[in-house]
Amino acid sequence: MMITVVGLGVKKGDLTERGRRAILEAKRVVVRTARTESYESVKALGVPHVCLDEIYEKSRSYRTLYKNLAAAVAGFGDGTAYCVDGSAGEDNSVKELSKKRGVKLSVIEGVSKVSAAVDAAGFSGCSYQAVSAYELAETRLTAPLVVYDMPDREIAGDVKLALMDRFGDEKEVLYICGGRSKRIPLYELDRQEEYDGTSAVALEKPELLDKKRFDLADLEEIVVRLRRPDGCPWDKVQTPESIRMNAVEEAYELVDAIDSGEEGKILEEAGDI
């Protein structure tokens, strides 16, 4: 069974000529979702098609969603054109579809949602993490960070809650929509006037001492800072054996500091070295 996957790109007009021909020549056309601007490219062709938006409502988790979408597309059989927003190679339902026995894919790429958001955020040329809004709960988040697949206020609210838990509600972020970006506090992410398939949020990497919440990666950064050539002479000569008792004592001290809200003092001491 051969299925052609067509990346529709980010907005109307992104559909390539090759993608347009594939849709027009397909036995049947299936669209992952009609909730994006890029879907307008399919509507403009005037071909009969089926949208799979109802599968979103029936799926218990996003992992289940991808599998359900893949199963539905495979069920349409040979000669189907499966249209997804953004780049076909980034789409998780396409990845699930590629695992199905007896299914072969012909992939026609489109404009990447990730690349569009990264360009708007000004992160091009630097290291960053890009995560779909549908995968936040299963991902360890680090910054710089771009979260895409945020087409409406409801999903923006879910993204806000996930990011607030990691970065704090007053963290300044870049809200991206239609290729434009503006700075807002994180707690306003679900209070914007407009959302569409291009909506995303980007977080720049905060300075360690400016953070409000901390994790193991921050502890690793502190250790690296203490043991670098211009760091603390005492820390640089320690071994796992010599530091064992001190590490236990410091761990208890850090836990007490976090409980009392005074962990900033420890970070300031490390930053002064």
Side-chain angles (χ1 to χ4, degrees):
M1 181 195 326
M2 176 63 73
I3 293 176
T4 301
V5 181
V6 180
L8 298 176
V10 177
K11 59 185 184 299
K12 182 179 179 180
D14 282 348
L15 180 63
T16 64
E17 177 59 28
R18 184 181 170 209
R20 189 185 73 84
R21 289 200 308 270
I23 294 172
L24 292 174
E25 295 170 2
K27 292 181 180 178
R28 61 198 61 84
V29 178
V30 180
V31 181
R32 172 172 164 163
T33 177
R35 300 169 65 191
T36 65
E37 183 182 344
S38 59
Y39 167 65
E40 297 298 322
S41 296
V42 178
K43 287 179 61 178
L45 294 177
V47 297
H49 59 275
V50 175
C51 295
L52 302 180
D53 288 288
E54 64 178 17
I55 294 180
Y56 285 72
E57 305 300 327
K58 297 178 180 179
S59 301
R60 295 183 178 179
S61 69
Y62 292 118
R63 184 171 298 178
T64 302
L65 168 66
Y66 304 140
K67 293 181 178 180
N68 290 345
L69 287 168
V73 174
F76 283 97
D78 186 65
T80 296
Y82 179 40
C83 304
V84 300
D85 54 310
S87 165
E90 293 172 354
D91 192 278
N92 286 302
S93 67
V94 175
K95 295 174 184 177
E96 288 294 334
L97 187 59
S98 69
K99 299 175 185 177
K100 288 200 166 293
R101 183 176 300 177
V103 174
K104 294 183 179 180
L105 301 182
S106 173
V107 177
I108 301 175
E109 287 292 3
V111 176
S112 164
K113 290 182 287 186
V114 174
S115 296
V118 167
D119 289 343
F123 286 177
S124 299
C126 72
S127 177
Y128 60 86
Q129 181 184 31
V131 183
S132 168
Y134 304 127
E135 299 176 322
L136 280 182
E138 303 169 359
T139 307
R140 181 185 174 188
L141 303 176
T142 60
L145 170 68
V146 174
V147 180
Y148 58 99
D149 281 339
M150 199 175 66
D152 57 40
R153 191 180 308 278
E154 181 179 357
I155 295 178
D158 293 340
V159 172
K160 179 184 77 170
L161 293 176
L163 297 182
M164 282 171 55
D165 186 58
R166 174 66 179 84
F167 299 101
D169 59 350
E170 294 187 359
K171 168 68 178 173
E172 185 179 79
V173 301
L174 288 170
Y175 174 63
I176 299 164
C177 185
R180 300 179 299 277
S181 65
K182 66 176 181 178
R183 294 186 178 275
I184 61 171
L186 180 54
Y187 63 80
E188 290 186 356
L189 186 59
D190 58 349
R191 304 177 187 176
Q192 302 306 300
E193 295 181 358
E194 180 182 5
Y195 299 90
D196 60 28
T198 68
S199 294
V201 59
L203 290 79
E204 299 166 332
K205 184 176 181 179
E207 292 295 329
L208 183 61
L209 298 184
D210 293 335
K211 283 189 166 186
K212 303 299 182 184
R213 305 189 182 190
F214 308 91
D215 60 12
L216 183 59
D218 299 314
L219 177 60
E220 293 172 353
E221 183 174 343
I222 292 172
V223 172
V224 169
R225 181 175 297 188
L226 291 171
R227 292 177 65 86
R228 67 191 183 189
D230 61 341
C232 173
W234 183 86
D235 283 277
K236 287 190 292 183
V237 299
Q238 299 309 308
T239 65
E241 290 75 20
S242 69
I243 201 66
R244 184 178 300 153
M245 290 307 299
N246 298 80
V248 172
E249 293 174 2
E250 291 293 339
Y252 280 116
E253 182 179 337
L254 181 57
V255 170
D256 290 339
I258 292 174
D259 288 341
S260 62
E262 296 182 352
E263 67 271 25
K265 292 182 179 179
I266 295 176
L267 295 173
E268 289 176 4
E269 292 174 0
D272 288 338
I273 295 175

